[in-house]
C-alpha cells in the first residue's frame, strides 16, 4: 500500500477516505479534519483559553496534543474518580504526558477534595456508576472553567462517540437530547462554552494518532464500562461501517446538516438559579445543586471497593448517554 | 507469530505468515475497531506479517 499523497509506504488504510497514508500525511489529514471542525463550528480561536478535560485515554490526550501543536492555548484538567487501578494508571499517564511536554495540568480528586469516589457514590445512590461519574465530571468541568477563567471546555468526543450517542437518542426519539447534540454548546447562564474538536475523526484515527506520535495512553477500559449500551451501539455501527465505509460519518454529518437546524427551538435551557453551596447554575426545586446533594449523601460513607460493583454490574445491563 | 491481544492482555500463537486483513478476519475482529502494531508502528491492511513477528492487535473502541 502506498500513501495517497507521497506514494511512500503507507502505515494506515482509511476505507472511508478510500485511501492509505504514511505517518506524516496521516497527521496532516488529522490536523485538517480538526481545523475544519474548529472553524466550521466556530469553536474557539488562538486567543481563547482552553481547558481540556483529560482522562488519560486516547481521545483526550490526542485532542490536547493536537491543539497544542496547532498553536492553541490549552491547559489540562484531570479528575481522579477513585475507580481502583484504572484511575491510578490513568492519572500517572496523564501527569507524565503533561510533564514531558511542559503543559499545565490541574488535578482534582473526588476523594480528597469532595470526600467520595465513584464506586461509593454508586452504592449510596443505588444507581449505575456512570450516573454519579457523569454528573460529577460535568459539574467539575464547568466549575473549573468558571473559576479558572477559561473561555471553553474541550472534550475528546470523537466521531464514533457522537454517532453512537446519536443512534441511541434517535432510537428513543429523545428530542431534548437530539437538540443539544451539537459539536459546540454556547456559554450561557453560568455554563462555559463546550466544544468537541474530534467529531470529524473516528476512534481508529485518534488511536492511530497516539500510536504514531508515541503517546502513551490508558489502553485498558474503565471497569464500569463493560457491556454498556454505548458500546453495543458502537459495535452495531462498526458492523455497518465495515460493509459500507463512510456510514458513520454520513449518519452524523447528515444529522448536523439537515436535522439539527430544525431542532434549534428545542435547544433552550431550563430556568436556572445558583446553588447556595457552590454557586453553580442549577435547575429544579432544590436550593442545592445535584453535585452538592451527592456530596452530602456520600459524606462519612465507607469507601466501596471497585470489584464489588463490577461483579454486580455484569449481572445487570446499564444504559448511558455517553458523557 | 505471536499475537498480543487486549482486554485483558493475553498472547496467542499463529502458525505461518498472514496479511493484516486476513488475520483480523480469521480472528473475527472488525477492521474498524482494531489497529495492528509491529515494532511501535502501524501495519496497514495489506501489510504482511511474518511467521517470526510479534504483533499487537489493539482494540480502539472506548466506552466512556
Ligand atoms: S465508564 Fe462510567 S464510570 Fe467509567 S469513567 Fe466512564 S462514565 Fe465514569
Ligand atoms: Zn505520505
Ligand atoms: Zn452546588
Amino acid at each position: 500500500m502506498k500513501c495517497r499523497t507521497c506514494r511512500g509506504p503507507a502505515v494506515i488504510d482509511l476505507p472511508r477516505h478510500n485511501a492509505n497514508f504514511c505517518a506524516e500525511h496521516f497527521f496532516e489529514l488529522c490536523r485538517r479534519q480538526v481545523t475544519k471542525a474548529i472553524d466550521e463550528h466556530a469553536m474557539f480561536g488562538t486567543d481563547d483559553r482552553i481547558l481540556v478535560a483529560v482522562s488519560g485515554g486516547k481521545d483526550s490526550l490526542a485532542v490536547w496534543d493536537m491543539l497544542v501543536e496547532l498553536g492553541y492555548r490549552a491547559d489540562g484538567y484531570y479528575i481522579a474518580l477513585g475507580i481502583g487501578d484504572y484511575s491510578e494508571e490513568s492519572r500517572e499517564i496523564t501527569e507524565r504526558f503533561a510533564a514531558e511536554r511542559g503543559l499545565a495540568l490541574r488535578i482534582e480528586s473526588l476523594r480528597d477534595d469532595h470526600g467520595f469516589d465513584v464506586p461509593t457514590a454508586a452504592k449510596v445512590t443505588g444507581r449505575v456508576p456512570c450516573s454519579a461519574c457523569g454528573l460529577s465530571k460535568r459539574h467539575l468541568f464547568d466549575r473549573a472553567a468558571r473559576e479558572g477563567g477559561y473561555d471553553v471546555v474541550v472534550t475528546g468526543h470523537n466521531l464514533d462517540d457522537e454517532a453512537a450517542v446519536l443512534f441511541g437518542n434517535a432510537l428513543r426519539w429523545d428530542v431534548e437530547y437530539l437538540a443539544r447534540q451539537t459539536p459546540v454548546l454556547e456559554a450561557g447562564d453560568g455554563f462555559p462554552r463546550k466544544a468537541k474538536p474530534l467529531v470529524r475523526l473516528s476512534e481508529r484515527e485518534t488511536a492511530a494518532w497516539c500510536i504514531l506520535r508515541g503517546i502513551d495512553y490508558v489502553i485498558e477500559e474503565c471497569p464500569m464500562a463493560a457491556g454498556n449500551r454505548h458500546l453495543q451501539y458502537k459495535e452495531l455501527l462498526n458492523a455497518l461501517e465495515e460493509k459500507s465505509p463512510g456510514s458513520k460519518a454520513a449518519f452524523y454529518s447528515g444529522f448536523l446538516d439537515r436535522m439539527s437546524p430544525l431542532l434549534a427551538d428545542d435547544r433552550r435551557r431550563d430556568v436556572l438559579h445558583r446553588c447556595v453551596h457552590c454557586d453553580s447554575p442549577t435547575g429544579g426545586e432544590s436550593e442545592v445543586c445535584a453535585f452538592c446533594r451527592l456530596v452530602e449523601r456520600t459524606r462519612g460513607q465507607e469507601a466501596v471497593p471497585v470489584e464489588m460493583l463490577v461483579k454486580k454490574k455484569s449481572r445487570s445491563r446499564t444504559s448511558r448517554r455517553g458523557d | 507469530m505471536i499475537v498480543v491481544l487486549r482486554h485483558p492482555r493475553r498472547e496467542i500463537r499463529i502458525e505461518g505468515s498472514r496479511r493484516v486483513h486476513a488475520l483480523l478476519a480469521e480472528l473475527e475482529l472488525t477492521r474498524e475497531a482494531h489497529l495492528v502494531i509491529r515494532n511501535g508502528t502501524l501495519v496497514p491492511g495489506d501489510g504482511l506479517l511474518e511467521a517470526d513477528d510479534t504483533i499487537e492487535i489493539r482494540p480502539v473502541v472506548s466506552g466512556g
Side-chain angles (χ1 to χ4, degrees), chain B residues 6-23:
Chain B
R6 295 283 184 159
H7 303 339
R9 193 192 154 94
R10 60 207 188 276
E11 286 183 11
I12 57 168
R13 202 171 275 278
I14 302 269
E15 294 306 321
S17 58
R18 296 283 192 292
R19 299 272 169 203
V20 165
H21 279 329
L23 179 65

Side-chain angles (χ1 to χ4, degrees), chain A residues 51-274:
Chain A
L51 190 63
V52 184
V54 275
S55 67
K58 63 187 194 315
D59 302 305
S60 57
L61 292 182
V63 75
W64 196 8
D65 185 47
M66 286 182 204
L67 292 184
V68 170
E69 215 213 352
L70 289 168
Y72 291 100
R73 301 164 64 197
D75 296 346
Y77 175 61
Y78 173 88
I79 304 172
L81 301 165
I83 307 175
D85 296 343
Y86 166 75
S87 285
E88 296 289 321
E89 191 195 353
S90 61
R91 179 175 178 155
E92 271 166 36
I93 283 179
T94 306
E95 285 183 317
R96 204 177 321 131
F97 177 93
E100 281 170 5
R101 290 161 181 78
L103 300 173
L105 172 66
R106 187 175 153 193
I107 295 187
E108 186 146 358
S109 158
L110 282 187
R111 176 56 66 198
D112 299 343
D113 300 319
H114 303 283
F116 73 101
D117 51 39
V118 166
T120 309
K123 169 102 190 302
V124 170
T125 56
R127 302 185 59 186
V128 293
C130 299
S131 157
C133 184
L135 164 75
S136 305
K137 286 194 281 198
R138 281 189 299 274
H139 175 89
L140 293 173
F141 292 157
D142 291 350
R143 199 154 129 184
R146 198 169 57 238
E147 290 171 2
Y150 288 92
D151 299 292
V152 55
V153 172
V154 155
T155 55
H157 293 93
N158 57 47
L159 173 60
D160 294 69
D161 294 322
E162 293 305 300
V165 170
L166 176 60
F167 188 71
N169 288 341
L171 271 182
R172 289 184 300 274
W173 292 117
D174 190 328
V175 174
E176 196 188 318
Y177 273 77
L178 284 167
R180 289 176 56 81
Q181 204 191 336
T182 49
V184 63
L185 272 179
E186 280 313 319
D189 297 334
F191 289 108
R193 192 191 313 158
K194 289 183 193 139
K196 302 170 181 172
L198 298 186
V199 291
R200 298 182 62 92
L201 291 178
S202 74
E203 56 189 344
R204 188 166 170 267
E205 290 155 3
T206 62
W209 173 276
C210 288
I211 292 162
L212 293 170
R213 293 268 294 170
I215 296 172
D216 190 18
Y217 65 88
V218 197
I219 298 165
E220 294 310 324
E221 281 287 291
C222 171
M224 310 294 170
N228 71 31
R229 280 231 185 103
H230 190 63
L231 283 173
Q232 294 169 28
Y233 296 155
K234 282 186 168 181
E235 218 174 284
L236 285 172
L237 290 169
N238 276 342
L240 193 63
E241 182 78 18
E242 192 99 330
K243 292 217 168 66
S244 151
S247 299
K248 283 183 292 195
F251 177 51
Y252 179 62
S253 66
F255 166 75
L256 289 186
D257 292 345
R258 294 192 291 281
M259 191 70 217
S260 186
L262 304 179
L263 300 172
D265 284 348
D266 294 286
R267 255 190 287 281
R268 273 177 312 230
R269 281 190 164 114
D270 303 336
V271 183
L272 300 170
H273 58 268
R274 295 295 177 133

Side-chain angles (χ1 to χ4, degrees), chain B residues 2 5 12 14 18 21 27 30-31 39 46 48-49 52-53 55 58-59 63:
Chain B
I2 295 169
L5 300 167
I12 57 168
I14 302 269
R18 296 283 192 292
H21 279 329
L27 298 173
T30 323
R31 182 185 53 196
N39 300 327
D46 74 345
L48 186 66
L49 305 168
D52 57 0
D53 277 343
I55 61 137
R58 175 86 53 97

Side-chain angles (χ1 to χ4, degrees), chain A residues 3 5-6 22 25:
Chain A
C3 169
T5 313
C6 70
C22 70
H25 293 113

Side-chain angles (χ1 to χ4, degrees), chain B residues 1 3-4 8 11-12 15-16 27-31 33 35 37 39-40 42-43 45 47 52 54 57-58 63:
Chain B
M1 73 188 83
V3 179
V4 179
E11 286 183 11
I12 57 168
E15 294 306 321
L27 298 173
E28 295 182 7
L29 298 173
T30 323
R31 182 185 53 196
L35 288 166
I37 306 172
N39 300 327
L42 298 174
V43 193
D52 57 0
T54 295
I57 301 182
R58 175 86 53 97

